[in-house]
Amino acid sequence: MLKHRGFPGRLAGTDFQFTIRRPNPKGVTPLKPRERFADRRPADRRADAGFIAALWEHFGDEPFERGNLDAGRLNWLFGREVVAAEDPFDPESYDALLKLDVSVARASYPDAFRGDGS
């Protein structure tokens, strides 16, 4: 499992996790889209925006390996702001390639892109 050095481990000042420390001994948690409802807590939306901002800062619009990125946090964004970057895609692999769909991410979380010069 690739560890993304320099990637924030969590949203600053919270317990919202962005990375995992070690592979799951029971098997890889599969990536699958989770439905987001309009009444999600503001803290959850801030965590999503913070994760998008970290992905943008760390990877930009380039494909990246799933590695130690937290599946729980990815699942809130998977299939919308974060998409598979390879075909076939293995949702149960730490080596799977993902990509930030920048246009969708900007529309969903515009504050995550503040200060990028655009």
Side-chain angles (χ1 to χ4, degrees):
M1 174 179 73
L2 173 68
K3 291 195 175 191
H4 296 291
R5 302 288 179 207
F7 198 89
R10 60 186 61 248
L11 181 62
T14 72
D15 286 333
F16 289 108
Q17 184 172 309
F18 288 174
T19 62
I20 58 174
R21 292 186 180 145
R22 63 191 69 80
N24 185 344
K26 296 179 184 175
V28 181
T29 302
L31 294 181
K32 58 185 176 229
R34 292 192 65 184
E35 188 171 355
R36 292 190 311 240
F37 296 99
D39 63 350
R40 281 185 77 210
R41 296 180 319 160
D44 291 323
R45 290 193 299 270
R46 281 193 306 275
D48 289 345
F51 190 65
I52 291 283
L55 289 173
W56 177 246
E57 183 178 318
H58 208 74
F59 305 113
D61 60 357
E62 296 297 316
F64 56 90
E65 195 170 310
R66 173 184 174 178
N68 70 328
L69 299 177
D70 181 58
R73 184 60 43 204
L74 280 169
N75 284 342
W76 287 111
L77 307 168
F78 188 67
R80 294 173 293 265
E81 295 83 9
V82 175
V83 295
E86 60 187 352
D87 188 26
F89 177 75
D90 182 1
E92 294 186 29
S93 171
Y94 289 121
D95 299 326
L97 291 179
L98 301 167
K99 185 174 150 182
L100 187 63
D101 187 331
V102 178
S103 60
V104 174
R106 279 185 193 274
S108 300
Y109 300 99
D111 292 342
F113 296 90
R114 301 281 189 243
D116 70 352
S118 56

